[in-house]
Amino acid sequence: MKLASWNVNSLNVRLPQVLDWLEQAQPDVVGLQETKLPDERFPRDALREAGYESLCSGQKTYNGVAVLARQPLSAPVTDIPGLDDPQRRVLATTIGDLRFVNLYVPNGQAVGSDKYAYKLDWLARLRDWLAAEQARHPRLVVVGDFNVAPEDRDVHDPEAWREQVLCSTPEREALQALMALGLTDSFRRFPQDEAVFSWWDYRMNNFKRNRGLRIDLILTSPTVTGALTASYVDRGPRAWERPSDHAPVVAELADA
DNA sequence: ATGGTCGGTAGCCGA
């Protein structure tokens, strides 16, 4: 079983690339972020023709998440309980025996800003909810654009990024608090090259120079971690014409 | 060279 996460930075613009990538990579489940589409404009039919059922939680202009799967998707949840937030950043659903949680974590803009405070609060509330999700659903997978680079080795220039947003100690500690629930960064379960990233700013030829961060993650609960057979970043689509600024990330599971 | 690009929108805001 092949799981993936991809921040597409507008599904309206990126739908042809998503369809190409689905055809090429043949994932079973995909979490999309930054769809930037209200649900009535979600391209459900085109995705169904490609073999995928979908759930979406979108809004105009900003944010928006969706999950695509070859199997039926049930029991959707679109909000962190108790967090009254109009921003569409969460979509959890059950697919087979997996509970799949797709996230677009707030960016945080700059350390010390109001958006940064919102990000840290959001992550703290996420932790409490994921603890409950894990108790209900032992086979839990949490994917998405976390907008946090877990460690310095996930950053092209750690000194330049020291205590900057996406890399600051409070953000990393908030991510660690999620992982302390028993969630594993699937990418680090396997030998990897150095300087593997999942996001490269559009500016300054950052992709060509591989000046990126690894902020798109697939976290797995212990029973799922035990079934992992691979986890990697597919840089291919980032090199396509008119790309998203993020590449898809993938985790593969042995069949049960 | 201290910025440089996108996407959505119709101003700039957000990333």
Side-chain angles (χ1 to χ4, degrees):
Chain A
M1 189 171 204
K2 191 167 181 177
L3 313 177
S5 175
W6 193 6
N7 180 323
V8 294
N9 188 18
S10 170
L11 186 56
N12 189 41
V13 170
R14 227 65 68 191
L15 179 61
Q17 295 191 22
V18 170
L19 294 172
D20 285 351
W21 189 74
L22 292 173
E23 172 78 22
Q24 171 188 108
Q26 295 287 313
D28 296 287
V29 185
V30 184
L32 302 178
Q33 304 88 34
E34 284 205 88
T35 54
K36 298 184 176 179
L37 284 175
D39 292 346
E40 60 270 23
R41 291 183 51 209
F42 189 83
R44 178 178 319 280
D45 295 341
L47 290 161
R48 183 173 287 142
E49 283 172 29
Y52 291 85
E53 292 302 309
S54 52
L55 290 174
C56 57
S57 180
Q59 66 185 94
K60 192 178 154 191
T61 311
Y62 302 119
N63 309 311
V65 285
V67 179
L68 320 179
R70 295 189 179 284
Q71 295 172 250
L73 304 105
S74 60
V77 170
T78 60
D79 290 281
I80 297 171
L83 183 64
D84 182 22
D85 188 353
Q87 301 187 31
R88 301 292 82 204
R89 300 181 174 277
V90 171
L91 183 50
T93 180
T94 297
I95 300 153
D97 63 356
L98 279 187
R99 186 66 172 171
F100 188 87
V101 178
N102 181 32
L103 303 174
Y104 176 47
V105 175
N107 172 281
Q109 194 168 60
V111 173
S113 67
D114 288 351
K115 292 195 175 79
Y116 182 79
Y118 162 70
K119 178 182 194 173
L120 293 180
D121 180 60
W122 195 95
L123 285 167
R125 290 165 181 275
L126 173 69
R127 195 215 77 93
D128 292 343
W129 175 53
L130 288 182
E133 282 289 283
Q134 166 125 285
R136 283 189 291 264
H137 309 283
R139 289 180 60 82
L140 181 68
V141 179
V142 184
V143 315
D145 177 357
F146 283 75
N147 269 315
V148 180
E151 302 177 74
D152 278 355
R153 60 181 166 161
D154 301 308
V155 180
H156 70 89
D157 184 346
E159 290 314 314
W161 282 87
R162 184 79 57 213
E163 297 303 334
Q164 301 300 302
V165 75
L166 314 187
C167 298
S168 72
T169 300
E171 292 166 85
R172 285 179 170 171
E173 287 178 348
L175 178 60
Q176 281 305 314
L178 298 186
M179 311 216 0
L181 299 171
L183 298 170
T184 295
D185 180 357
S186 60
F187 181 82
R188 291 297 176 202
R189 295 292 291 186
F190 299 93
Q192 304 288 353
D193 293 337
E194 288 183 27
V196 176
F197 309 122
S198 65
W199 167 79
W200 302 259
D201 194 294
Y202 284 122
R203 292 168 283 197
M204 298 169 69
N205 283 318
N206 272 348
F207 179 65
K208 280 184 182 166
R209 300 156 71 196
N210 197 32
R211 295 173 63 85
L213 304 182
R214 191 176 67 90
I215 57 177
D216 299 274
L217 309 176
I218 297 176
L219 308 182
T220 50
S221 65
T223 52
V224 181
T225 303
L228 286 169
T229 56
S231 183
Y232 51 91
V233 178
D234 183 354
R235 289 170 49 100
R238 186 60 179 81
W240 292 350
E241 195 86 15
R242 204 178 181 193
S244 169
D245 46 352
H246 294 251
V249 297
V250 178
E252 297 180 1
L253 300 180
D255 293 329

